[in-house]
Amino acid sequence: MKKKIVFALLLLALGAGALIWTQNRKRAVGSGPVQLYGNVDIREVNLGFRVSGRIIEVLRDEGDAAEAGEVLARLDAAPYERALAEAKAQMESLGARVRLVEAGYRPEEIAQARAVLREREVTLTNAERTFRRQQELLATRAVSEQDRDDAEARAREAQARLASAQEQLRLLEAGFRTEEIEQARAEWARARAAVARAELQLEDTVLRAPSAGVVLTRAQEPGAVVQAGATVLTLSLREPVWVRAYIREPDLGKIHPGMAVDIYTDSRPDKPYHGQIGYISPRAEFTPKTVETTELRTSLVYRLRVVVENPDEGLRQGMPVTVKLRNTQSP
């Protein structure tokens, strides 16, 4: 009986010791330096032409480096060069139309209208004189009423023709209407916009690198006819380079944006990269399966982004890394 009691007391002591040891270990882990695990995240961009056409050359292959603004591929530009020439010709034609309506009618046309007016004034004067003479002769029965009526009709016709000439001269001297001038200017503006669009489309036959990077995939070859937006090359950008990592909720208070960190890779464990925490997610989530940590995968963590300050070719997309905080004190 005494042996059983002693054995039971021994088990209780061992259990209490194990519990104390576990709690101390958890406390020690929670108070130790924070170590995070994540993967390198490098942005990629699918490059394509904004216009359709036939590819005439692709200047870079997979693995080739590219600098910002460097030409990577070209389309056959002949159709767009012809379209630009046509648009410029139309713009010049409408520009000449604007200059014409703004300047008004030519002085020669106005002089001609004045000459016609003087001619019709003389014609009216002669027609009125003939009509008066016929009116006087009718009183003496020297002419018939028909002759008098014909003379009157010719005088009225001459008067109407004179009024028409006067109105024509006023129109020429006044120039074009304001609405006609505005319409001509609007058509010219539309033609200039068409030229700008044609110039932009011609520029878009050249594919340039938006920033420095490395060509990952070459999806098209010379001779292929591609639609606008179709991927020709995929470029992995050199900057920015991030690390997507996760932190446990108990350690969340030990970090803050801007905190300096060291980033370790398996290929160079003694030469860490340097960076700083740039973003901490406000929402908890389950640890992704691609992240290797010592905690259970069902633990809730917070995603954060670490900006690498000195990236080089040693960092590759998806590479697993270890992030160690230089300072775990709260801000």
Side-chain angles (χ1 to χ4, degrees):
M1 185 66 179
K2 292 182 178 180
K3 292 182 178 180
K4 292 182 179 179
I5 294 174
V6 171
F7 183 73
L9 292 175
L10 180 61
L11 289 178
L12 288 175
L14 290 175
L19 179 60
I20 294 173
W21 181 85
T22 301
Q23 291 177 347
N24 290 335
R25 179 174 177 80
K26 288 184 178 179
R27 191 176 300 111
V29 171
S31 60
V34 177
Q35 183 169 288
L36 309 177
Y37 302 88
N39 301 87
V40 176
D41 191 3
I42 301 176
R43 284 188 173 180
E44 300 175 2
V45 56
N46 295 325
L47 302 179
F49 298 97
R50 291 200 299 182
V51 294
S52 59
R54 180 173 59 87
I55 299 176
I56 60 173
E57 60 180 344
V58 180
L59 303 176
R60 288 292 179 270
D61 209 337
E62 295 178 356
D64 291 343
E67 299 299 329
E70 186 176 354
V71 177
L72 302 179
R74 287 189 176 91
L75 291 178
D76 182 8
Y80 297 98
E81 291 172 348
R82 296 191 183 97
L84 177 59
E86 181 180 355
K88 286 184 175 179
Q90 181 68 10
M91 182 185 69
E92 291 296 329
S93 173
L94 293 175
R97 171 66 180 171
V98 170
R99 292 190 294 272
L100 185 151
V101 297
E102 288 179 342
Y105 293 96
R106 293 180 298 174
E108 294 82 1
E109 292 176 313
I110 297 176
Q112 183 181 14
R114 287 173 178 168
V116 171
L117 177 62
R118 288 193 296 270
E119 176 187 352
R120 292 183 179 179
E121 287 175 345
V122 172
T123 301
L124 175 60
T125 300
N126 185 53
E128 289 177 342
R129 185 182 301 113
T130 301
F131 172 65
R132 288 193 297 271
R133 186 180 300 115
Q134 294 291 333
Q135 187 73 17
E136 293 173 355
L137 292 175
L138 180 62
T140 60
R141 300 295 180 177
V143 296
S144 65
E145 291 185 0
Q146 183 62 45
D147 292 336
R148 192 276 312 272
D149 293 343
D150 291 342
E152 182 181 8
R154 284 192 293 271
R156 291 180 177 177
E157 180 183 359
Q159 186 176 12
R161 291 172 63 83
L162 175 62
S164 175
Q166 291 172 337
E167 186 63 27
Q168 182 64 23
L169 178 60
R170 282 195 295 270
L171 287 175
L172 292 177
E173 289 177 339
F176 291 88
R177 292 184 302 174
T178 303
E179 294 80 4
E180 292 176 317
I181 297 175
E182 291 178 352
Q183 180 182 7
R185 289 173 177 171
E187 292 177 351
W188 188 35
R190 184 172 59 183
R192 294 198 305 272
V195 170
R197 182 175 64 251
E199 290 174 342
L200 181 60
Q201 290 178 339
L202 181 59
E203 293 177 1
D204 286 339
T205 61
V206 178
L207 182 61
R208 299 180 183 274
S211 60
V214 178
V215 176
L216 292 182
T217 58
R218 174 169 166 165
Q220 301 292 344
E221 297 296 328
V225 177
V226 295
Q227 298 297 320
T231 299
V232 177
L233 297 168
T234 300
L235 189 68
S236 175
L237 304 183
R238 291 181 186 172
E239 292 183 357
V241 176
W242 298 327
V243 170
R244 187 186 301 270
Y246 296 83
I247 187 170
R248 299 181 311 127
E249 190 275 335
D251 296 328
L252 194 60
K254 300 178 182 179
I255 65 171
H256 60 86
M259 177 177 287
V261 299
D262 292 325
I263 304 163
Y264 294 85
T265 63
D266 295 337
S267 59
R268 43 181 285 183
D270 298 329
K271 291 183 62 178
Y273 295 91
H274 303 301
Q276 62 179 3
I277 298 176
Y279 166 78
I280 302 174
S281 175
R283 183 175 57 185
E285 56 187 281
F286 288 102
T287 308
K289 293 183 178 181
T290 57
V291 179
E292 299 294 337
T293 69
T294 57
E295 302 296 328
L296 296 176
R297 295 192 182 278
T298 57
S299 299
L300 287 177
V301 293
Y302 289 83
R303 177 168 51 90
L304 57 88
R305 175 185 298 164
V306 177
V307 182
V308 183
E309 297 175 350
N310 56 335
D312 57 23
E313 297 296 330
L315 293 177
R316 302 287 180 172
Q317 174 71 29
M319 177 183 290
V321 296
T322 301
V323 180
K324 296 181 179 180
L325 305 182
R326 297 183 196 171
N327 181 9
T328 58
Q329 299 300 321
S330 299

